[in-house]
Amino acid sequence: MRPEMVSMHRILISLALLVLGVFLNASWAEDKLVNLTRLQMFVDELPDMPKIQGFEVVNGIPKSKSLNIGMYMKKWKFHRDLPRSTVYAYGATQSTATVPGPTIEALHGISTFITWQNNIPSNKHILPWDPTIPTAVPSTKKGIPTVVHLHGGIHEPASDGNANSWFTEGFQDRGPTWSNKTYQYRNQQQPGNLWYHDHTMGLTRVNLLAGLLGAYIIRHLDVEGPLGLPHSEFDRSLVIFDRAFRTDGSIYMNSTGNNPSIHPQWQPEYFGDAIIVNGKAWPKLTVRRRKYRFRIINASNARFFRFFFTNGMGFTHVGSDSAYLGKPVGSKGFLLGPSEITDVVVDFSESETDHVILANDAAYPYPSGDPVNEENSKVIKFLILGHPEVDTSRIPERLIHYPAPDLSSASQTRYIAMYEYTSDIGEPTHLYLNAKPYEAPATETPKAGTTEVWNVINLTEDNHPLHIHLGLFVVLDQTDLVKVEEFKDCMSKENNAIKCQISKYARGNRTEVPAQEKGWKNVFKMRPGAVTKILVRFAYIHSNASYQFDPSGEPGYVYHCHILDHEDNAMMRPLKIIR
Ligand SMILES: *[C@@H]1O[C@H](CO)[C@@H](O)[C@H](O)[C@H]1NC(C)=O
Ligand SMILES: *[C@@H]1O[C@H](CO)[C@@H](O)[C@H](O)[C@H]1NC(C)=O
Ligand SMILES: *[C@@H]1O[C@H](CO)[C@@H](O)[C@H](O)[C@H]1NC(C)=O
Ligand SMILES: *[C@@H]1O[C@H](CO)[C@@H](O)[C@H](O)[C@H]1NC(C)=O
Ligand SMILES: *[C@@H]1O[C@H](CO)[C@@H](O)[C@H](O)[C@H]1NC(C)=O
Ligand SMILES: *[C@@H]1O[C@H](CO)[C@@H](O)[C@H](O)[C@H]1NC(C)=O
Ligand SMILES: CC(=O)N[C@H]1CO[C@H](CO)[C@@H](O)[C@@H]1O
Ligand SMILES: [Cu+2]
């Protein structure tokens, strides 16, 4: 082509792009959402995520292993009849990356080293985010900041995925507390269920929504083997979250805040009506007429689930969060808050029907929000094969008992108050713990090896799942506040529970802790208008040995609300362990 033709050509291409751009922008602005009632449920098979071993066996002896796990931008199909969605996904390679990410299987006592690599191209985030909340912004203004936290893990602060230890593609840009490309997960703790997910300052909600989460299991074969629980193909992880989609398949998040003049994008809670299990909307799974173990991780940003079976079948709980229960607990249904994990055995030989639906009836926001609808009330369908079969797995009478320490051994009592602030139009603008922003110096400074009592006071209208890094806790008591408004008035002036005479107000009804949640936990749903008393242990629960690392190092740990939209703005505080 002659030069003038080339430039004409360019002009035409630019024009075409311009028209396309206007068109794309227009359709974006319209936010045409998929009408989910038109999507047929139970058409996709439940995927099993790829498994990555966090150890290697050399001459019959397990040894520690170093893994590289990347974060990639790719397309993911959430439903047979939905166009492919752009996601951020974890995986060993781009082609094997999945949403949720691969399940990492570690062995008790064997370290897994992981170099998390950000391979997400330095362009615009696939979801709207909000620069007016405390947010990681690369100095080059390029790249998508990410950092990985292993939820439930007991390891040194430098491997904890601090919100300010974020990094962009190829580690080009790094947050202020970034220190090392490789994390060491020691796996010295009790066997159980963990999950890894993004934890970037101000971007956690959007990075998880984009797909950055996955399951992590620590096994201790000597201790778990004799229990005889269902294993291998009968032991499945179910990672559950909710999403909304545009008609072009893209993941939808509202780009207009509830207080747009203060925060252009931030909203207090994200909900989508499509319930996604292991990356598929309302999948189905064909099961044999026998026992299965399901490790269920609630990876929703804000949705609570209250699970039950439509045919009345029950669940037997064997674990909760990252630890086994002392004894199995039967239930007909249970409430799972964001980021809570439950570990249940389901016996399909008890089913009188040839299929059953795992359903949900939790209002959203929980507990005072909208009732569930046709879409978000269904989770997964199990198709149950013919006759019962010989099932050698069992549910033993005793599981693994980790005694709770004496209340009298607690070395400190703390009060943690949850506050929500609203604008003059009465819409939430942000939430704080103890009326302090994240940047304020640490006020919770437990000594390693000790146990403390924390009284968590919810002065907001929502149920907040509180998550503590490093420590595990036992819930002792939940007592409603009386004369809540009077107490709240005092707290909003003084921010001091003792000065406000909490003992005078913590006199209402007591709520029993559900039996399946009486063990060691790392997340608990803090009832609104109540004081929840927990006993937090900054030591292992399965042994009296002290931590095999220095927990007092930089950049320390955090504790926060696990409704991600709250955590990002800024229901999170530093947790500094001292020696
Ligand atoms: C979604 O589709 C259903 C069934 O076709 C219809 O009844 C409903 O009105 C639609 N909802 C919206 C918001 O368009
Ligand atoms: C980075 O972490 C690895 C694995 O824990 C460790 O071996 C190495 O010494 C660390 N490097 C620095 C500079 O701290
Ligand atoms: C997005 O949020 C704004 C402000 O809260 C609201 O007015 C609007 O209806 C929302 N859009 C959708 C599609 O829900
Ligand atoms: C998942 O967690 C969210 C947020 O806490 C909660 O609203 C929802 O009920 C939980 N779902 C299940 C199934 O537990
Ligand atoms: C305690 O519970 C009872 C029964 O649900 C209820 O009637 C009563 O109002 C509650 N008391 C307070 C102080 O909330
Ligand atoms: C830890 O020490 C206490 C008190 O000496 C003892 O009762 C308990 O059995 C020990 N726990 C373990 C797991 O060794
Ligand atoms: C639903 C509910 O009980 N919400 C309460 C949460 O706590 C605040 C303050 O304590 C009360 O005002 C709410 O009614
Ligand atoms: Cu919260």
Side-chain angles (χ1 to χ4, degrees), residues 33 252 254 256-258 267:
L33 301 193
Y252 170 72
N254 196 332
T256 309
N258 58 319
Q267 295 208 340

Side-chain angles (χ1 to χ4, degrees), residues 1-17:
M1 274 186 277
R2 293 202 313 269
E4 57 271 37
M5 275 186 71
V6 171
S7 61
M8 192 55 168
H9 201 76
R10 282 217 184 110
I11 289 169
L12 281 176
I13 289 177
S14 313
L15 260 175
L17 285 177

Side-chain angles (χ1 to χ4, degrees), residues 288-555:
R288 309 212 323 229
R289 209 162 264 277
R290 52 156 295 144
K291 290 189 277 302
Y292 280 72
R293 175 176 184 174
F294 294 112
R295 304 165 188 256
I296 306 179
I297 303 177
N298 178 358
S300 294
N301 282 34
R303 182 178 294 278
F304 281 63
F305 292 100
R306 188 163 44 221
F307 288 122
F308 63 96
F309 279 119
T310 47
N311 68 354
M313 258 169 50
F315 305 86
T316 305
H317 297 258
V318 298
S320 149
D321 292 343
S322 61
Y324 273 93
L325 296 169
K327 289 180 184 166
V329 174
S331 83
K332 285 287 178 192
F334 57 93
L335 186 67
L336 202 61
S339 91
E340 278 191 302
I341 302 181
T342 194
D343 195 338
V344 292
V345 174
V346 172
D347 191 349
F348 292 102
S349 72
E350 286 171 3
S351 174
E352 285 166 8
T353 51
D354 63 359
H355 70 267
V356 61
I357 292 170
L358 181 65
N360 162 45
D361 69 356
Y364 60 104
Y366 187 82
S368 52
D370 295 336
V372 290
N373 56 29
E374 179 57 22
E375 292 74 55
N376 59 30
S377 63
K378 304 281 194 315
V379 181
I380 178 173
K381 182 175 189 172
F382 295 99
L383 306 166
I384 307 165
L385 290 178
H387 291 293
E389 60 179 72
V390 179
D391 181 356
T392 55
S393 71
R394 61 192 189 105
I395 303 171
E397 270 173 40
R398 296 192 167 275
L399 294 159
I400 307 181
H401 182 60
Y402 305 111
D406 233 338
L407 188 54
S408 63
S409 70
S411 57
Q412 266 273 2
T413 297
R414 300 183 193 273
Y415 295 89
I416 311 291
M418 299 172 150
Y419 296 88
E420 180 175 88
Y421 305 85
T422 49
S423 64
D424 43 16
I425 55 166
E427 283 285 318
T429 54
H430 61 293
L431 301 99
Y432 278 165
L433 294 168
N434 291 336
K436 290 189 168 65
Y438 176 70
E439 301 77 36
T443 41
E444 281 62 59
T445 55
K447 197 160 180 289
T450 63
T451 301
E452 301 192 342
V453 172
W454 288 21
N455 293 288
V456 185
I457 310 164
N458 169 22
L459 296 170
T460 80
E461 282 181 15
D462 290 327
N463 194 319
H464 300 275
L466 189 81
H467 173 49
I468 303 177
H469 288 206
L470 186 72
L472 283 123
F473 56 82
V474 173
V475 183
L476 300 175
D477 181 84
Q478 302 177 83
T479 309
D480 287 350
L481 295 162
V482 296
K483 296 192 240 164
V484 174
E485 291 310 318
E486 197 179 291
F487 180 66
K488 209 169 157 177
D489 280 350
C490 178
M491 286 295 282
S492 54
K493 287 186 202 100
E494 302 286 346
N495 185 32
N496 182 324
I498 294 177
K499 221 171 180 178
C500 292
Q501 300 180 59
I502 179 150
S503 56
K504 205 174 105 190
Y505 296 96
R507 299 213 159 168
N509 286 334
R510 287 189 166 195
T511 307
E512 182 69 10
V513 179
Q516 73 272 13
E517 295 192 54
K518 283 189 170 157
W520 287 94
K521 305 261 308 159
N522 57 44
V523 178
F524 190 73
K525 300 166 282 283
M526 300 303 172
R527 259 172 73 75
V531 183
T532 304
K533 187 172 182 177
I534 62 178
L535 193 61
V536 198
R537 182 162 158 88
F538 295 99
Y540 294 117
I541 58 166
H542 71 288
S543 95
N544 285 327
S546 54
Y547 289 135
Q548 279 146 346
F549 54 89
D550 177 9
S552 67
E554 291 303 327

Side-chain angles (χ1 to χ4, degrees), residues 113 156 159 179-184:
F113 294 86
E156 43 273 88
S159 295
S179 66
N180 197 323
K181 289 183 182 175
T182 302
Y183 283 6
Q184 178 174 10

Side-chain angles (χ1 to χ4, degrees), residues 125 129-130 135-136 145 198 200-208 568:
H125 202 292
W129 56 284
D130 194 325
T135 295
D198 192 81
T200 308
M201 182 61 74
L203 297 175
T204 300
R205 71 194 184 296
V206 284
N207 285 350
L208 264 88
D568 277 347

